[in-house]
């Protein structure tokens, strides 16, 4: 029996021995696969353009078929630009592909404005329920970010929902009735008109060049305490208005309207800023988490054909709360990742550079997908589905990815010098293939490389 035929049979046997966790795929897709193979079954083709201005662009990729779903977002920001303040009801694990970012968000533990500088290769998690902004203050360098986002399950929307604090058309505040905003901010209608019509560009705006964006530049120039004080003044105004509303409610004046006024703001303030607003000079006893630089981490595996590095909650503590892991891998031209399977998590990958090919099998061993991938393509691998990636002969392949588990989670390598078949080599394995001990020993010992292999 030829080695290629034996390897195929081996993959079928291993595939049949894997527990099936995605029965829906097996019931619906395997029946079709024999007659009409979908060569792009696990490519993520659905996307939404969340932001597109002269200052930057953000695209979200999603797939409604995946039970353990993540959404992959790619963000590009021009020099001197800002992604305006937003409230995101989803965990956001960010990776800086290139450039540098100034990130500011309200830390949920100590209710202060946390500011951190992120550089190329940095990983940072923004917890669900945080208000934040991202600024690219560099004058000559674009900022590129890839994010793995775990959306909340509340509304069942295809794409995560963002509540933008600033901006005009996108602001989550501007839709309130004028009388509600007047009471909440404690300012006149004329003042509110200027506030909510000044920014016309959208989600990503320039930091220079117009009066409309000047307030953002000024905000970023403030010291940390001054920034937080501005936000807290809004909160304080809301609290004072609630006291007035309570008095009015007790007198029975316009009770229904007063409830409409206070409820949205009370929910917002409690969600973003917490039940109590602490003094800005209060000593902070708990430091915010630092970023984790993936580029400086020694690869988990490396040889002359490529490398792979993965980070989970044991290396970067904030990931424990999200249940998201992250990995980065590089294959030199013509090399391949050995066939493997992830029994614990669904994996998502996006091609950062280069091009190649990815093949995925159903757990029963039949071919699920075999397709070419190039820069910008997003795909996912369901747990317990064997797969491998191959770089094209004339070009390397670089992938960044996220997994739905933050535990110590490594794919199980099926073939190679350090693999399942090498460990299982013996008379039992020979019997399962119906070959001699000599033949099985030759087959499983022929490959001297591990994890990342040369292609013929």
């Amino acid at each position: 029996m030829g080695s290629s035929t034996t390897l195929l049979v081996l993959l079928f046997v291993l595939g049949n021995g894997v527990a099936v966790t995605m029965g829906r795929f097996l019931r619906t897709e395997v029946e079709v696969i024999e007659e009409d193979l979908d060569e792009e079954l696990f490519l993520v083709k659905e996307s939404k353009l969340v932001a597109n201005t002269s200052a930057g662009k953000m695209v979200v990729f999603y797939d409604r078929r995946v039970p353990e779903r993540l959404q992959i977002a790619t963000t590009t920001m021009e020099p001197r630009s800002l992604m305006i303040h937003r409230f995101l009801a989803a965990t956001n694990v960010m990776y800086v592909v290139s450039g540098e970012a100034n990130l500011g968000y309200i830390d949920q533990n100590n209710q202060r404005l946390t500011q951190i500088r992120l550089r190329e290769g940095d990983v940072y998690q923004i917890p669900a329920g945080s208000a934040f902004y991202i600024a690219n203050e560099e004058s000559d360098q674009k900022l590129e970010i890839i994010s793995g986002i775990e959306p909340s399950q509340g509304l069942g929307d295809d794409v995560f929902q963002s509540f933008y604090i600033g901006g005009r058309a996108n602001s989550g505040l501007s839709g309130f009735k004028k009388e509600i905003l007047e009471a909440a901010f404690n300012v006149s209608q004329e003042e509110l008109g200027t506030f909510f019509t000044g920014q016309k560009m959208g989600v990503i705006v320039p930091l220079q060049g117009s009066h409309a964006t000047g307030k953002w530049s000024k905000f970023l120039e403030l010291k940390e305490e001054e920034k937080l004080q501005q936000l807290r003044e809004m909160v304080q105004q809301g609290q004072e208005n609630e006291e007035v509303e309570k008095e009015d409610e007790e007198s029975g004046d316009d009770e229904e309207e007063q409830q409409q006024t206070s409820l949205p703001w009370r929910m917002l303030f409690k969600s973003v800023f917490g039940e109590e607003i602490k003094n800005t000079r209060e000593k902070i006893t708990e430091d915010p988490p630092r970023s984790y630089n993936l580029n400086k981490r020694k690869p988990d595996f490396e040889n002359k054909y490529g490398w792979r590095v993965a980070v989970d909650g044991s290396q970067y503590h904030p990931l424990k709360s999200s249940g998201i892991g992250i990995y980065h891998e590089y294959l030199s031209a013509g090399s391949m990742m050995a066939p493997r399977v992830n029994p614990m998590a669904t994996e998502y990958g996006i091609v950062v550079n280069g091009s190649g090919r990815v093949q995925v099998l159903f757990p029963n061993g039949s071919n699920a997908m075999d397709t070419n991938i190039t820069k910008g393509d997003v795909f996912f691998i369901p747990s317990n589905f064997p797969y491998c990636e191959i770089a094209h002969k004339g070009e390397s392949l670089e992938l960044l990815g996220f997994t739905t588990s933050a535990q110590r989670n490594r794919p199980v390598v099926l073939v190679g010098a350090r693999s399942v078949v090498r460990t299982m080599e013996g008379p039992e394995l020979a019997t399962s293939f119906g070959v001699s001990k000599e033949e099985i020993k030759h087959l499983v010992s022929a490959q001297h490389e591990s994890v990342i292999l040369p292609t013929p």
Side-chain angles (χ1 to χ4, degrees), residues 144-287:
E144 293 182 79
I145 295 174
I146 296 177
S147 300
I149 299 172
E150 186 178 44
S152 62
Q153 303 299 318
L155 297 178
D157 295 305
D158 292 331
V159 178
F160 64 88
Q161 294 294 312
S162 286
F163 176 104
Y164 292 97
I165 298 175
R168 183 181 181 183
N170 303 94
S171 175
L173 302 180
S174 60
F176 283 115
K177 297 294 184 180
K178 291 180 180 179
E179 60 270 19
I180 294 177
L181 292 176
E182 287 180 38
F185 278 96
N186 195 26
V187 296
S188 68
Q189 183 175 327
E190 290 73 19
E191 292 172 290
L192 280 174
T194 303
F195 188 81
F196 283 107
T197 59
Q199 178 52 257
K200 301 178 181 179
M201 285 197 60
V203 175
I204 304 177
V205 300
L207 283 175
Q208 292 180 334
S210 70
H211 174 73
T213 59
K215 61 186 179 185
W216 300 116
S217 297
K218 291 177 181 178
F219 179 86
L220 293 175
E221 290 171 1
L222 295 175
K223 295 180 180 180
E224 178 181 335
E225 288 189 357
E226 293 172 334
K227 288 178 182 176
L228 187 56
Q229 186 60 34
Q230 278 199 10
L231 296 175
R232 282 177 170 159
E233 285 174 2
M234 260 178 50
V235 180
Q236 187 63 40
Q237 290 169 2
Q239 289 180 328
E240 291 173 356
N241 281 296
E242 285 187 6
E243 294 299 325
V244 174
E245 289 162 10
K246 288 179 182 178
E247 294 178 3
D248 290 341
E249 287 173 6
E250 291 174 359
S251 63
D253 294 336
D254 297 324
E255 180 175 352
E256 182 178 353
E257 183 176 343
Q258 296 298 338
Q259 289 177 346
Q260 288 179 324
T261 304
S262 63
L263 181 58
W265 281 96
R266 190 180 299 130
M267 291 174 63
L268 171 64
F269 295 152
K270 288 181 179 179
S271 298
V272 180
F273 299 99
E275 291 286 348
E276 296 181 1
I277 306 301
K278 301 180 180 180
N279 190 288
T280 56
R281 290 184 173 83
E282 180 181 348
K283 182 179 180 180
I284 302 299
T285 58
E286 183 179 352
D287 291 330

Side-chain angles (χ1 to χ4, degrees), residues 296-362:
K296 295 180 180 179
R297 162 82 181 276
K298 183 180 179 181
D300 300 306
F301 180 86
E302 184 176 18
N303 62 15
K304 61 182 178 181
Y305 304 109
W307 49 262
R308 190 179 196 272
V309 59
V311 173
D312 54 43
S314 64
Q315 290 104 8
Y316 183 46
H317 181 73
L319 294 179
K320 287 185 177 180
S321 63
S322 68
I324 299 175
I326 185 169
Y327 68 88
H328 192 189
E329 63 184 47
Y330 171 84
L331 304 177
S332 61
S335 63
M336 64 177 282
M337 278 284 181
R340 60 197 192 280
V341 63
N342 191 327
M344 292 181 59
T346 296
E347 295 190 11
Y348 290 77
I350 180 170
V351 182
V352 178
N353 283 305
S355 64
R357 171 183 162 203
V358 59
Q359 181 176 11
V360 186
L361 303 183
F362 287 109

Side-chain angles (χ1 to χ4, degrees), residues 54-203:
S54 61
K57 181 179 179 180
M58 181 178 182
V59 180
V60 178
F61 298 87
Y62 61 97
D63 197 305
R64 287 170 287 192
R65 299 172 296 167
V66 190
E68 296 179 293
R69 63 175 183 158
L70 293 178
Q71 295 177 5
I72 308 301
T74 60
T75 303
T76 303
M77 295 174 60
E78 297 294 327
R80 299 292 300 167
S81 62
L82 171 80
M83 178 177 285
I84 64 176
H85 303 57
R86 61 198 291 205
F87 172 75
L88 186 62
T91 300
N92 183 355
V93 178
M94 302 167 49
Y95 173 80
V96 180
V97 179
S98 63
E100 297 187 6
N102 286 346
L103 169 68
Y105 73 96
I106 301 294
D107 183 83
Q108 295 296 298
N109 292 325
N110 49 40
Q111 301 301 319
R112 79 166 189 176
L113 180 65
T114 296
Q115 297 181 94
I116 187 168
R117 181 81 165 174
L118 300 178
R119 294 173 172 81
E120 183 174 321
D122 276 351
V123 176
Y124 200 80
Q125 176 180 292
I126 303 175
S130 299
F132 71 97
Y133 66 86
I134 300 173
N136 178 13
E137 298 184 24
E138 300 298 310
S139 58
D140 59 353
Q141 190 175 20
K142 286 186 177 182
L143 171 64
E144 293 182 79
I145 295 174
I146 296 177
S147 300
I149 299 172
E150 186 178 44
S152 62
Q153 303 299 318
L155 297 178
D157 295 305
D158 292 331
V159 178
F160 64 88
Q161 294 294 312
S162 286
F163 176 104
Y164 292 97
I165 298 175
R168 183 181 181 183
N170 303 94
S171 175
L173 302 180
S174 60
F176 283 115
K177 297 294 184 180
K178 291 180 180 179
E179 60 270 19
I180 294 177
L181 292 176
E182 287 180 38
F185 278 96
N186 195 26
V187 296
S188 68
Q189 183 175 327
E190 290 73 19
E191 292 172 290
L192 280 174
T194 303
F195 188 81
F196 283 107
T197 59
Q199 178 52 257
K200 301 178 181 179
M201 285 197 60
V203 175

Side-chain angles (χ1 to χ4, degrees), residues 362-424:
F362 287 109
N364 70 356
S366 61
N367 191 18
M369 182 180 80
D370 187 359
T371 190
N372 291 322
I373 50 176
T374 188
K375 185 174 182 179
D377 284 345
V378 179
F379 62 93
F380 69 96
I381 313 293
S383 61
N384 292 320
F385 280 50
Y387 68 103
C388 70
E389 303 103 333
I390 306 168
H392 283 156
K393 288 190 177 295
E395 195 171 11
S396 61
L397 177 64
E398 182 182 359
L399 298 170
L400 181 76
F402 302 88
T403 69
T404 58
S405 173
Q407 300 179 19
R408 290 192 64 85
N409 168 51
R410 298 290 184 269
V412 177
V413 178
L414 303 176
V415 180
R418 289 186 293 175
S419 64
V420 170
V421 295
R422 178 67 65 87
T423 304
M424 294 174 64

